[in-house]
Structure formats: C-alpha cells, structure tokens
Amino acid sequence: MVVDIHTHIFPRHIAEKTIEKLGRAAHIRPHTDGTLYGLLVSMRHHKITYSVTLPAVTNPNSVEHLNDTVIKKLLPLQSQGILPFGGMHPDFPHVRRELLRLKNAGIKGIKLHPAYQRADLDDPRNLRILYEASDLGLVVLTHAGVDISVNGYDYASVEQILHVIKEVQPSKLVLAHMGGWGNWAQVESDLAGAPVWLDTAFTYGRLDAYPGMEPSPHENTVLTPADFTRLARKHGTDKILFGTDSPWQDQGEYVSRLQAMALTGRELDAILWKNAARLLELSDSKS
C-alpha cells in the first residue's frame, strides 16, 4: 500500500489555465494535467493505493459550494482510491456548523493554505478553525513555510506553528512540506519532535523547470537524502506522512527517491502508508 497524503486536482474546465498559471509562477513543470483523470492515471501507473486531494479555498463565499461538491462525490471518489478533504477559509462565518457537516458526511479533514488565504496560521480566525476541527476529530493539513509561487511574506512560519501548538494543542495537525518549506534548519532545531505530523510533499529530489522557462530559483533549496533522513528521524518517522504535491511532483519518482534513502524497511512502511492509515483510519484491504 502507498498513501499520498498531499495531492491537488482542479475542475476540468479550469485545470489547464490554473496549472499553467501556478507552474509559471513557481517555474515548476507539472507531472499530470491537474485533473481527476490525470491523478487516477498516475495512481494506477505508479501503484498508489490512496491519494488525498486538497483544495485551497481563496474566497469564503466558495466554502459551502466546494464542500457540497466534495460530499456529493465522496463515495464514487473513495471507490477509486481518492480521499477528498474539505475546504475552509478564515473569513467563513459558520465554522463549526460547516466542519460538523463535513464530519457527518464522512470527510476526514480540511486543508488550510495561509499564503493563498492571506492570513497567518496563528491568526485568531485560523486558531478558531484549528480548535473546532480538533474538537471534532478532523485532520487539518496546512501549508507550512515559504510558498514558492507567492513571493515575500511567510504566512506559516515555525514561530507561528509553535504558537498554534501552544494555544490550540491540535490533535491531528499535519504540516505540509516537512513543517516549513525552505526553513529546514529552524524546523529541525525548533519544531522536530513536536506533537504534529509532517508530510514529505515537495521536499526532496529535483524541481523540474516549467517548459520554456529557466530552472526554478529554488531548485537547490530541497532537502538532500541525508538531511531528509536526519530530520525525519529527529521528528520521529512514526509522524511522517508520504506526500508528493502532485501534480508538482511525479508520484512514482517520489516513491523511488524515498526508497533509495538510508531508511529501514520499517521506517519506509511507516512513511509510505502505515502512519497515514492510522491517522485516516484506513483499512489495508486495498494493499
């Protein structure tokens, strides 16, 4: 079994333009067309058992409509190995009611993206979301660290994450990008070992340039295998979740790169699926 905790898909009618816009902003080549079909093809080809799809809600008025769609399509998506998360926005007024609706429908969690939503992770509005989600037993997966498609301010810094942990003590908080993309030294010194989960999305291996563009200015910022292994072990490999950020990384290559690291078989199994199966309460019947 392999569980990819961090993927993205877009409606077919906007996928092409969205992928081009994001790819050019980050100088990164996509590895699927950004659609559900593209993700399913990748999963079948690379033997990925489950993929969690994560929305980024940039308008509070879109929250209910997006979640309506997720709830409506949940069962057919699950039958194909897709586990969709719901969306939430810091300016949405009815947080608990909406989170309870997602929970009752069988949705496992929600995604926050502070940079796209222009709200610090430890903003009181996000603290409210994190508190209510934790109280309901929902997973919250949030972008953490620098977002290379958004220049300037870091909306999810290590300092903000530590503040969140202190104030909310969230039970199921997943920090994308190993806890803080580009801030590896601070993550290792200040955050590693904290009671949170880290996902591996977009953190190791090469960054392929968008067609016709120069290589990403961040191409040397990713973790080396040695640095990744050290950070994962310091945090605890029982709290590391495999994620790719598909379509921005190739799912098959990402599995292979992880398998080539100096991790034990037990550590690999934990990262590739066992930790996610525990967090998401998944059966291994599809393995």
Side-chain angles (χ1 to χ4, degrees), residues 5-237:
I5 197 79
H6 192 138
T7 72
H8 303 284
I9 56 174
F10 305 94
R12 183 172 292 277
H13 69 283
I14 66 167
E16 183 177 357
K17 289 185 177 180
T18 302
I19 288 294
E20 180 180 7
K21 178 181 177 181
L22 294 174
R24 287 186 176 279
H27 292 243
I28 299 299
R29 177 173 74 89
H31 291 266
T32 78
D33 64 2
T35 65
L36 171 61
Y37 176 77
L39 178 59
L40 289 172
V41 169
S42 173
M43 290 173 63
R44 289 167 186 159
H45 182 66
H46 298 301
K47 299 181 180 179
I48 307 296
T49 317
Y50 293 104
S51 287
V52 176
T53 54
L54 305 172
V57 184
T58 57
N59 186 328
N61 296 324
S62 301
V63 169
E64 290 177 303
H65 175 69
L66 181 144
N67 290 335
D68 284 342
T69 302
V70 169
I71 291 169
K72 179 180 179 180
K73 295 182 177 180
L74 177 61
L75 291 180
L77 287 173
Q78 285 180 332
S79 70
Q80 299 176 89
I82 302 294
L83 306 176
F85 271 23
M88 184 50 65
H89 190 282
D91 290 325
F92 184 74
H94 309 296
V95 173
R96 187 174 182 88
R97 184 184 74 186
E98 188 68 5
L99 294 179
L100 186 59
R101 186 166 78 100
L102 289 169
K103 179 181 174 65
N104 290 339
I107 305 298
K108 302 285 188 177
I110 60 167
K111 168 71 184 295
L112 293 177
H113 201 306
Y116 287 2
Q117 296 170 334
R118 296 296 193 269
D120 289 343
L121 183 61
D122 63 349
D123 183 290
R125 295 168 294 169
N126 277 328
L127 291 178
R128 178 190 176 199
I129 294 170
L130 289 157
Y131 174 81
E132 296 290 2
S134 184
D135 188 56
L136 293 170
L138 290 169
V139 177
V140 177
L141 194 154
T142 180
H143 178 90
V146 175
D147 188 298
I148 63 174
S149 66
V150 179
N151 293 322
Y153 186 70
D154 184 351
Y155 289 86
S157 67
V158 170
E159 289 86 357
Q160 292 168 27
I161 292 166
L162 292 171
H163 185 210
V164 165
I165 294 170
K166 179 180 178 181
E167 292 295 317
V168 181
Q169 299 179 355
S171 59
K172 296 181 179 180
L173 178 60
V174 179
L175 305 173
H177 317 299
M178 290 299 286
W181 201 92
N183 298 322
W184 315 125
Q186 190 179 12
V187 170
E188 186 170 350
S189 64
D190 298 346
L191 186 60
V196 293
W197 305 76
L198 308 183
D199 85 24
T200 69
F202 208 71
T203 58
Y204 57 80
R206 66 180 182 273
L207 302 183
D208 295 328
Y210 192 87
M213 297 187 72
E214 294 294 321
S216 168
H218 306 281
E219 64 176 337
N220 295 319
T221 308
V222 292
L223 289 162
T224 67
D227 288 340
F228 175 90
T229 302
R230 187 182 64 252
L231 175 55
R233 286 176 171 160
K234 184 173 182 181
H235 185 67
T237 53

Side-chain angles (χ1 to χ4, degrees), residues 200-206 242-245 249-259 272:
T200 69
F202 208 71
T203 58
Y204 57 80
R206 66 180 182 273
F242 177 74
T244 64
D245 215 351
Q249 288 289 345
D250 180 274
Q251 288 183 306
E253 288 187 10
Y254 232 60
V255 172
S256 297
R257 292 173 192 163
L258 190 68
Q259 291 172 332
L272 284 173

